[in-house]
Amino acid sequence: MSYGGGYGGGRDSGRDRRDSYDNRGGGSYGGSSGGGGGSYDSRDLGANLKTIDWGRESLIKFEKNFYQEHPAVVGMTPEEADHIRRSKNITIVHGENVPKPVRTFEEASFPEYVLEEIQRVGFREPSPIQVQGWPIALSGRDMVGIAETGSG
């Protein structure tokens, strides 16, 4: 029984594929005949899609607000939040009701299994981009964050 080879075989299996892709040979993306699928042809993209009348569809509202503010963060004063941002060189350029930063992984209110994995791999504290970025992103808010490469 064959699994895979989805880009080989199919309706074009009798044709010389070198004509389809380039003149260097090959081009079948693996597989030989069989395995189902058919060859890839960009002209076929979307051929089976149907037009959707979105005015007749009823969609379920989805909100991306997963953030539960930790009690220690709730009790943080605006001055403490600003001090944390200054100490981590975090600049808020624009935004209203920006969530307070977190100081620890626990304050980010991740599930226990995430906290265990963070501890297992040896991270001690969130990076500056994580300190402010997690509360924003987990609240379903948009942000553009710039950080040192590899910092988080």
Side-chain angles (χ1 to χ4, degrees):
M1 179 175 282
S2 173
Y3 295 97
Y7 288 102
R11 70 184 167 119
D12 296 328
S13 62
R15 196 170 83 196
D16 185 350
R17 289 181 208 265
R18 289 176 290 185
D19 296 335
S20 299
Y21 299 100
D22 61 29
N23 62 2
R24 293 176 289 165
S28 68
Y29 297 113
S32 57
S33 62
S39 66
Y40 170 78
D41 186 344
S42 64
R43 293 174 294 191
D44 293 338
L45 291 176
N48 295 325
L49 295 178
K50 295 177 179 37
T51 302
I52 297 173
D53 180 0
W54 291 106
R56 297 181 62 190
E57 297 296 323
S58 176
L59 301 176
I60 298 170
K61 187 174 181 174
F62 176 77
E63 292 196 31
K64 306 177 291 182
N65 187 356
F66 307 109
Y67 185 57
Q68 298 293 319
E69 199 170 49
H70 189 276
V73 177
V74 170
M76 186 185 301
T77 67
E79 293 77 23
E80 289 172 311
D82 288 339
H83 174 74
I84 292 167
R85 291 182 185 116
R86 279 192 308 275
S87 71
K88 305 275 186 191
N89 293 318
I90 297 170
T91 304
I92 306 294
V93 176
H94 176 72
E96 297 175 14
N97 301 317
V98 177
K100 298 173 191 171
V102 296
R103 295 166 284 211
T104 66
F105 295 110
E106 290 76 21
E107 285 183 357
S109 297
F110 289 127
E112 191 60 37
Y113 70 92
V114 172
L115 294 174
E116 289 170 2
E117 188 65 18
I118 289 169
Q119 184 177 18
R120 186 188 70 77
V121 296
F123 290 111
R124 286 187 231 135
E125 65 180 6
S127 69
I129 191 74
Q130 294 167 339
V131 162
Q132 187 62 68
W134 282 335
I136 294 171
L138 292 171
S139 296
R141 307 265 307 265
D142 294 329
M143 69 171 268
V144 174
I146 301 171
E148 292 182 36
T149 301
S151 69

